[in-house]
Amino acid sequence: MKILKPRFVSPELKLLRFLHSRMGFPIDDLRRFENLEKGFKGEQQFDIWSEDILIDGLILNDLLFEVNNTVFQIDSVLISQGTLFQFEVKNYEGDYYLEGDKWFTLSGSTIRNPLHQLERSETMLKQLLQNNGYNMHIESYLIFINPNFHLYNAPINPSIIFPTQLTRFMDKLNRTPSKLNGGHSKLAETLVSKQTFQSPYKRLPNYDYNRLEKGICCPHCRTFVDVTLKCKCGFEEAPSAAILRSIEEFRWLFPDEKITTNRIYEWCKGNKSIRTIRRILANNFEYEGYGKPGHYIVPIEFNRAVR
DNA sequence: TTCTACGATGGACAACATAG
DNA sequence: CTATGTTGTCCATCGTAGAA
């Protein structure tokens, strides 16, 4: 098994992390942030689990497509010789129950039926493949990755893989006969190239520069560090690395703002002298202009998703 | 161990470029 | 013109790696 497209923190989650350390969130945004964070943890767990897939196959993670003006996302795809496996990973924790085809948490709040979500993406995926001249057999699975998940009134549905079934499901996957050829790589490339991009900025809470807390955040625990750049969590960082990381955060949060020495000095809230900031900027980036309109050219690592 | 040299840092200040 | 922001230079201080 080969991972053709690894999983990264999504731009939106990245932005939310940057923002969350610097401002309070309205309750809806906070929930959304926590859900994304939890979902990502689940996907990471799934990635660890999927390392044991030993068949000749290709894995593509986090695919985002648009078919018929509808956007859908797939957590993970495994291309084998005869079958394209689609995995929707859920990191649900605790007790849930089913009434008919309605899903509830034990406290009684209703959640979106993940099976509908799964069927929907299978339909769309099938169509996407057909549009591109493929007619591959698709199998979709809903993977509950968290061992502390339980579903009362669970139906007998082979598309659902509960935590206790993960090992046997893996065995089953590994018994899938599979020998890939160039066509499969072509299919994988097609899928990667047919992706769509969504602006990560649309669904963020409102924020403005003046109301964000300034300073340098520890990349691990996301709390502010003091002038020593030694975090309470034990993480320690070289000055230039810390400043460059902070510039990166600023760049993500304010893609249209010009990067100047003073701006970054203020953003890092005097953790380092303005002279040091300038030196680090000058050592790492091109400078354009002079005086008031002068600024550094800091490349942004994503260019299709901006705005 | 102590000493030394060097690079990184930071303060002060003058010179320069541009917006308004 | 002034205000703002950047650059370059000079110089003192600090921490540390390597020499003595």
Side-chain angles (χ1 to χ4, degrees), chain A residues 218-235:
Chain A
C218 168
H220 294 106
C221 64
R222 298 297 308 164
T223 57
F224 288 99
V225 298
D226 62 11
V227 287
T228 65
L229 302 181
K230 286 178 191 165
C231 182
K232 289 177 282 294
C233 76
F235 182 77

Side-chain angles (χ1 to χ4, degrees), chain A residues 11 25 28 30 39 71 129-130 132 170 238 247 253 305:
Chain A
F25 279 9
D28 289 357
L30 187 62
V71 173
L129 288 176
Q130 272 168 9
N132 290 282
M170 175 65 74
I247 294 169
L253 290 172

